[in-house]
Amino acid sequence: MHKDIATPIRTKEILKKYGFSFKKSLGQNFLIDPNILRNITEYAGLTEKTAAIEIGPGIGALTEHLARSAGKVLAFEIDQRLLPILADTLSPYSNVTIVNEDILKADVGEMVEKELTGYEDIMVVANLPYYVTTPIILKLLTENLPIKGICVMLQKEVGDRIAAKPGTKEYGSLSIAIQYYTEAETVMTVPKTVFMPQPNVDSAVIRLIKRDKPAAEVHDEEFFFQVTRASFAQRRKTILNNLTSQLPDGKQKKEGILASLEKADVDPGRRGETLSIQEFAKLSNELLPLFK
Ligand code: SAM
């Protein structure tokens, strides 16, 4: 096996060789601890029959672990300066394809079709750029990609919100948006010392496994997400107050909103944070005719 990229010494050597300077604006905090990388790869459950999609390979720290465990790795890297470095550091691995694109603009479905057909499962595995964590995860979940799940490093605070259960202060519209599509859990918390340079926030690894079908039956997804966002607009307010003040013409439609809450078995005095995804689904289905 080749020497790990992700040791402090080797990482410094590579950065020096290429005169590479970190771009904070691209969320460049590279991992320099092989144990953490082994753990992430294990939690992702990769085998030779699995393909991995990576976002932001950096200098290849995680990529080489994925290449050792998975059948194939498809990695999207926005920073062109990293391409010659990756060509060098990943030269021992023939099963890696690097695409120089912004993941948020890339046609991931087309790339998957081109590069990853024939694999039993596809997992997204990454140490995400923290400035775009949520848009990346939501893109991967809403574009109907043939992925089994997502196992990624992110800000601990965002991970806590994603995996939160009803009745907790972290639970909100982000928890619902993600848990509607997946089963979410935090598998590891990670100290700042395993990064170069060290980020300002604590980190965690979460694992999201896509559900066969969404967690609840929703008649109009866009409206369902609008209702959940409205319900958390002011956390201390009751669900009735939030819905009347946030939904279009909500104040005029108060009677209808009250009737929908009753039909959905939701006490108007409850707060959004106490409702399960199923309750939000029922409620938004009842409210739908009033707003669409
Ligand atoms: N995987 C490497 C590691 O763990 O050491 C680097 C992780 S670093 C936190 C995030 C990486 O994502 C950087 O290499 C950065 O250039 C890249 N990146 C930032 N924004 C991106 C985007 N929109 N699309 C693709 N890659 C991006």
Side-chain angles (χ1 to χ4, degrees):
M1 199 184 284
H2 297 274
K3 216 168 51 160
D4 265 328
I5 296 167
T7 61
I9 294 175
R10 177 108 196 270
T11 298
K12 273 186 204 149
E13 258 172 33
I14 295 166
L15 298 177
K16 194 166 162 221
K17 178 172 170 193
Y18 289 91
F20 183 84
S21 54
F22 294 103
K23 266 199 193 148
K24 228 179 163 179
S25 61
L26 290 180
Q28 292 180 338
N29 301 91
F30 295 171
L31 282 166
I32 49 165
D33 183 338
N35 289 320
I36 297 283
L37 292 163
R38 263 191 291 278
N39 287 336
I40 299 176
T41 311
E42 246 166 58
Y43 280 121
L46 303 174
T47 71
E48 272 164 32
K49 293 181 177 163
T50 324
I53 299 177
E54 188 187 7
I55 294 121
I59 59 170
L62 175 60
T63 325
E64 75 171 349
H65 282 260
L66 302 179
R68 287 174 193 156
S69 304
K72 168 99 202 193
V73 185
L74 171 64
F76 293 85
E77 174 56 62
I78 197 172
D79 189 346
Q80 208 183 341
R81 300 174 305 155
L82 289 164
L83 298 195
I85 307 182
L86 286 164
D88 177 3
T89 58
L90 297 177
S91 60
Y93 307 96
S94 56
N95 58 345
V96 179
T97 300
I98 308 280
V99 183
N100 181 205
E101 270 190 79
D102 178 344
I103 186 70
L104 294 177
K105 295 190 183 140
D107 187 339
V108 181
E110 189 187 287
M111 285 309 297
V112 166
E113 215 169 282
K114 203 169 132 203
E115 297 284 337
L116 305 182
T117 41
Y119 290 94
E120 267 178 16
D121 287 315
I122 303 174
M123 278 297 285
V124 175
V125 195
N127 169 21
L128 289 177
Y130 290 179
Y131 74 105
V132 275
T133 304
T134 312
I136 291 176
I137 295 178
L138 286 175
K139 171 179 168 128
L140 296 169
L141 292 178
T142 53
E143 284 192 350
N144 256 325
L145 301 168
I147 57 173
K148 179 182 177 200
I150 300 177
C151 183
V152 285
M153 176 91 74
L154 38 53
Q155 307 92 306
K156 181 176 177 303
E157 178 257 327
V158 177
D160 288 346
R161 286 200 279 133
I162 285 176
K165 297 276 167 268
T168 62
K169 70 175 193 311
E170 290 81 15
Y171 182 69
S173 52
L174 182 63
S175 329
I176 294 165
I178 307 273
Q179 292 175 36
Y180 175 71
Y181 299 107
T182 71
E183 297 219 39
E185 63 176 322
T186 300
V187 291
M188 201 167 38
T189 54
V190 180
K192 293 178 180 139
T193 48
V194 301
F195 298 91
M196 185 190 292
Q198 293 188 14
N200 297 324
V201 294
D202 289 325
S203 298
V205 175
I206 60 161
R207 183 171 55 196
L208 310 173
I209 300 296
K210 255 175 106 175
R211 300 176 189 276
D212 293 335
K213 54 185 181 42
E217 208 180 299
V218 165
H219 298 162
D220 181 322
E221 287 184 352
E222 199 186 317
F223 183 64
F224 166 69
F225 291 121
Q226 189 184 352
V227 168
T228 61
R229 282 193 304 273
S231 305
F232 289 99
Q234 284 185 275
R235 297 188 69 99
R236 298 165 63 85
K237 277 193 177 178
T238 63
I239 187 143
L240 176 64
N241 269 333
N242 270 327
L243 293 176
T244 50
S245 64
Q246 300 297 321
L247 291 178
D249 299 324
K251 289 209 171 63
Q252 289 91 301
K253 294 180 178 170
K254 187 170 176 184
E255 287 310 313
I257 293 176
L258 265 169
S260 303
L261 282 161
E262 193 173 330
K263 276 197 216 144
D265 280 326
V266 176
D267 187 314
R270 283 171 67 184
R271 287 185 184 157
E273 68 197 43
T274 67
L275 270 71
S276 66
I277 296 188
Q278 289 72 22
E279 286 180 305
F280 272 117
K282 221 169 150 188
L283 176 60
S284 76
N285 291 344
E286 293 294 347
L287 286 166
L288 186 63
L290 202 57
F291 291 92
K292 289 270 158 113

